Amino acid sequence: MWKTVNKTIEELGLDRETLFRYRDDGTLKLGPHYRAFSQTFSRDSYRWNVKAVKSELQKKGLLPV
């Protein structure tokens, strides 16, 4: 299920800047972790796969297990 950035940071306990830093530095990848849909007009409106993001960040030690 794809969620908004606000729902994603709420569920993961991250702040917006941290989530975007992981996106921008390549920690999180377009496709498995976030996507642009037809109503996406900017990078701020991407939708996030919270389960995949959580798994990736835990694997890399960036989020508590």
Side-chain angles (χ1 to χ4, degrees), residues 2-3 5 15 17 24 29 45 50 55-56 60 63 65:
W2 297 95
K3 299 187 179 186
V5 68
D15 59 45
E17 293 78 21
D24 293 341
K29 307 288 186 206
S45 59
V50 176
S55 176
E56 184 68 17
K60 293 184 175 190
L63 196 67
V65 176

Side-chain angles (χ1 to χ4, degrees), residues 36-46:
F37 289 95
S38 60
Q39 297 299 316
T40 303
F41 300 106
S42 72
R43 294 182 341 151
D44 288 342
S45 59
Y46 284 161

Side-chain angles (χ1 to χ4, degrees), residues 3-4 6-8 11 16-19 21 28 30 32 36 40-42 47 49-51 60-61 63-65:
K3 299 187 179 186
T4 65
N6 290 334
K7 290 282 187 190
T8 300
E11 289 187 27
R16 186 181 192 94
E17 293 78 21
T18 300
L19 182 65
R21 183 176 67 245
L28 300 174
L30 181 64
T40 303
F41 300 106
S42 72
R47 295 293 185 255
N49 180 334
V50 176
K51 187 175 182 178
K60 293 184 175 190
L63 196 67
V65 176

